[in-house]
Amino acid sequence: MTKPFDPQAFAAEAAARLTGPGGRFELVVEDVLGAQMPVMRHRSTSLGEVLAASTAHGDRDYLVTEDRRMSFTEHASAVAALAAALRARYGVRKGDRVGILAANTPEWVLTFWAAQALGAIAVGYNAWWAPREIAYGVEHTSPTVLVVDAKRAALLAELDIQVPVLTMEHDLPALLTDFPTATLPNIEVDEDDPAVILYTSGTSGRPKGAVHSHRNLVAVIDYHMFNDALAAAFTGTTELPSRRRYLLTSPLFHIASLHNLVVPRLVTGDAAVIHQGSFDADRVLRLIERERISNWGAMPTMATRMLELDLSHYDLSSLTAFSLNSAPSSAALQQRLRDHLPVARNALVTSYGLTECSTAATLAGPAELAAFPDTVGRPVVGVTLEIRDSAGNTVAEGTEGEICVRSPYVMLGYWQDEAATAAAITPDRWLRTGDIGVLDDGRLRLSGRRSDLILRGGENVYPTEVEQRLEEHPAVRECAVVGVPDADLGQQVAALVVVESPTATTEDELRAFTADRLAYYKVPARWRLTTTALPRNATGKVVRTAIEV
């Protein structure tokens, strides 16, 4: 009698071979910032090393847009020129910050890699920030130079920014022309030196800068290479896939696009095809057709909008991998994808991760996700995951608690915020995610996102930040911001505002006031103005569950 195939057991056996002694991805326990944890023995030690090796991919496409193509050779040459210019003209040195404030463009990627070539720290500012948020970010990380696109340059004109500003449309092309024979510098950096800062919304009302090291990003690359090897094992080959084409639809200031798409392609030799402009399902599907996209990681909101179209009108046969990223997805959405998108029938995956973790902490494969649609999977290679109670003790399987993660992917900490870093990362390098979950037979199930976090179309919105801005309005006595369900975006931002009198202000006035101070996605879409005080408990905290907007 033939023994039934158990994909989970097969994957475990293949992973053991790959990560065991002598394996291609052999794991060894080493000291990482004072904590013992598994890391890959055969690894690069810096992103500069990764960049230098990328020229081996030659004339293959690396970056592609609707009207531009850049090969790996062209990319390395442009990065060398830009790095030389930043060093010679603007004095950028190891450890300096290079700010990037722009929508998705090849120049965004060039600037990131030029910073790495110099041993500098790339700072990916949120391109959707309002001017006041931009001013805060620039002051917070003090970049030596700021690289922006034309739209953000216009916003900067409203601010007193005392930093050299280079535009992607005019200044960068001129700099590349000025240093045509430059070669990549060879700057020594330590594995645990900072490489990039990405901002995550702050529970205390201000965005926090998550600092990721060279070790973090190199480990992310190896994680993706390991996943490729594991997938190859299922087909009975040791050859890793090549010539894939990845669709980039999320902002480059997110780990989904930068750490987990653009950066690993420099090692795998695959193309990153960049969708530019706001998400338009028809344009994206046409791009998949034209560029023969093989891999796409989409936000649930994007998937929902795509399903509103008749997919039979598009040639999506090139897609071989599809994942749902950045926010939880419902069983209903997953099934609709399987029903209408051919690749989803056998290749739909999802994951759980956060900016502080650099990449996924868990991953749910196609078979397990189909059987358990509420799971976000099992810990990925190199990750140790525990569920802990409020005292920090590990709880039994099936018991709800805080998700805690330790791995070489976990950030160094928050830029210039020792208190927030200490609250998030324990002395033995466990990351307290603030998310609530349950482990069932090794599978993670989320039972709550960070305290009051609102997930709007894949973007994190913390109520405190919105409330603090609203409370600057003279007519607002107090307010509470909550998330309300939305079929398209997952959640919308809603505000209950307590005012002095019914005529003190209006929804339109408050909306405009907030839009002047916050990114558009943080501006409440629903409002209720009242003269009745907010509901509070015995300790004076607002009872958000009692709020109706």
Side-chain angles (χ1 to χ4, degrees):
M1 185 174 181
T2 304
K3 184 178 180 181
F5 177 67
D6 183 344
Q8 192 63 43
F10 182 88
E13 292 171 6
R17 289 195 303 273
L18 290 167
T19 60
R24 193 170 185 174
F25 300 91
E26 180 181 353
L27 289 175
V28 292
V29 175
E30 294 183 6
D31 181 279
V32 177
L33 300 173
Q36 297 290 305
M37 66 181 70
V39 296
M40 291 186 182
R41 181 190 293 276
H42 310 294
R43 64 185 187 272
S44 298
T45 56
S46 74
L47 290 173
E49 183 180 333
V50 168
L51 174 64
S54 69
T55 55
H57 300 305
D59 293 333
R60 292 188 192 180
D61 285 343
Y62 174 38
L63 302 175
V64 178
T65 67
E66 286 188 344
D67 56 1
R68 297 170 62 190
R69 293 180 189 277
M70 180 178 288
S71 71
F72 285 91
T73 299
E74 291 166 336
H75 172 260
S77 177
V79 168
L82 181 55
L86 292 177
R87 181 168 54 185
R89 298 278 175 83
Y90 301 96
V92 176
R93 296 292 186 269
K94 178 181 176 181
D96 289 345
R97 273 75 63 206
V98 175
I100 311 173
L101 179 66
N104 290 352
T105 64
E107 286 76 17
W108 205 114
V109 180
L110 286 179
T111 306
F112 169 82
W113 283 113
Q116 303 314 315
L118 293 168
I121 306 168
V123 184
Y125 297 115
N126 189 319
W128 294 333
W129 276 351
R132 285 176 50 153
E133 294 170 299
I134 295 170
Y136 167 77
V138 172
E139 180 182 6
H140 182 233
T141 35
S142 304
T144 300
V145 65
L146 185 58
V147 180
V148 305
D149 60 17
K151 183 174 181 179
R152 261 46 64 163
L155 294 178
L156 289 175
E158 304 176 25
L159 304 171
D160 182 24
I161 299 293
Q162 301 298 313
V163 174
V165 175
L166 305 177
T167 61
M168 293 179 173
E169 292 82 358
H170 303 292
D171 296 324
L172 258 59
L175 290 174
L176 297 183
T177 302
D178 289 346
F179 293 84
T181 61
T183 58
L184 289 172
N186 183 19
I187 307 296
E188 288 190 12
V189 298
D190 185 83
E191 280 189 277
D192 294 308
D193 281 344
V196 61
I197 299 171
L198 295 184
Y199 279 86
T200 180
S201 295
T203 54
S204 61
R206 287 291 192 186
K208 297 195 291 282
V211 185
H212 298 135
S213 66
H214 288 263
R215 181 195 299 277
N216 292 155
L217 272 78
V218 168
V220 171
I221 293 172
D222 287 338
Y223 156 65
H224 285 279
M225 296 286 285
F226 169 82
N227 281 350
D228 289 345
L230 194 60
F234 274 85
T235 65
T237 180
T238 58
E239 292 299 316
L240 300 185
S242 62
R243 307 278 178 167
R244 292 169 296 186
R245 302 180 75 76
Y246 285 74
L247 179 61
L248 192 160
T249 50
S250 297
L252 279 162
F253 51 82
H254 282 191
I255 61 168
S257 288
L258 182 61
H259 297 33
N260 292 278
L261 198 159
V262 163
V263 168
R265 303 293 72 78
L266 225 58
V267 175
T268 63
D270 302 313
V273 181
I274 303 172
H275 170 69
Q276 296 179 290
S278 58
F279 183 83
D280 179 282
D282 177 70
R283 277 186 60 215
V284 166
L285 294 170
R286 296 298 178 196
L287 187 60
I288 292 172
E289 279 187 326
R290 184 171 63 256
E291 292 295 335
R292 305 301 294 161
I293 298 297
S294 59
N295 297 62
W296 183 22
M299 296 178 186
T301 297
M302 295 175 182
T304 300
R305 293 181 182 178
M306 176 182 64
L307 290 171
E308 293 172 355
L309 303 178
D310 184 348
L311 300 187
S312 67
H313 292 167
Y314 306 89
D315 179 6
L316 307 179
S317 60
S318 60
L319 280 173
T320 58
F322 185 85
S323 61
L324 290 169
N325 302 329
S326 303
S329 59
S330 67
L333 174 58
Q334 294 168 22
Q335 191 53 50
R336 287 179 63 206
L337 284 166
R338 294 188 188 98
D339 291 341
H340 298 283
L341 184 66
V343 66
R345 290 165 196 162
N346 300 305
L348 179 64
V349 303
T350 194
S351 60
Y352 161 73
L354 56 162
T355 302
E356 290 84 347
C357 200
S358 299
T359 188
T362 65
L363 179 68
E368 199 152 44
L369 184 60
F372 304 96
D374 62 346
T375 188
V376 289
R378 301 173 184 273
V380 304
V381 64
V383 166
T384 306
L385 186 147
E386 293 181 356
I387 305 297
R388 297 182 173 183
D389 62 21
S390 58
N393 301 312
T394 305
V395 300
E397 278 217 347
T399 304
E400 188 176 85
E402 182 178 18
I403 302 166
C404 296
V405 173
R406 185 164 69 177
S407 77
Y409 315 121
V410 170
M411 68 172 182
L412 295 174
Y414 295 114
W415 183 259
Q416 293 186 343
D417 198 335
E418 292 182 4
T421 299
I425 302 177
T426 67
D428 54 350
R429 296 298 298 169
W430 282 93
L431 173 67
R432 300 184 57 192
T433 69
D435 292 334
I436 307 302
V438 177
L439 281 174
D440 292 316
D441 193 25
R443 296 182 303 273
L444 179 64
R445 173 168 49 84
L446 298 178
S447 51
R449 297 294 286 183
R450 293 176 208 126
S451 57
D452 304 313
L453 178 67
I454 301 167
L455 277 170
R456 181 200 179 280
E459 290 294 326
N460 292 353
V461 181
Y462 279 94
T464 302
E465 182 182 19
V466 184
E467 289 163 358
Q468 288 181 352
R469 299 292 83 75
L470 269 173
E471 287 170 357
E472 293 174 2
H473 192 285
V476 175
R477 297 182 62 182
E478 57 178 350
C479 62
V481 171
V482 296
V484 293
D486 184 88
D488 182 26
L489 297 167
Q491 285 184 300
Q492 279 279 20
V493 182
L496 173 61
V497 182
V498 180
V499 293
E500 292 284 351
S501 70
T503 58
T505 186
T506 64
E507 290 181 16
D508 287 344
E509 181 181 326
L510 291 176
R511 185 179 293 108
F513 182 85
T514 314
D516 189 49
R517 288 158 173 77
L518 294 171
Y520 79 93
Y521 63 86
K522 301 175 186 177
V523 177
R526 287 172 55 176
W527 299 81
R528 184 160 74 87
L529 276 57
T530 180
T531 56
T532 304
L534 296 177
R536 297 181 182 272
N537 62 17
T539 63
K541 292 183 178 180
V542 174
V543 182
R544 294 183 184 275
T545 55
I547 292 172
E548 296 181 4
V549 181

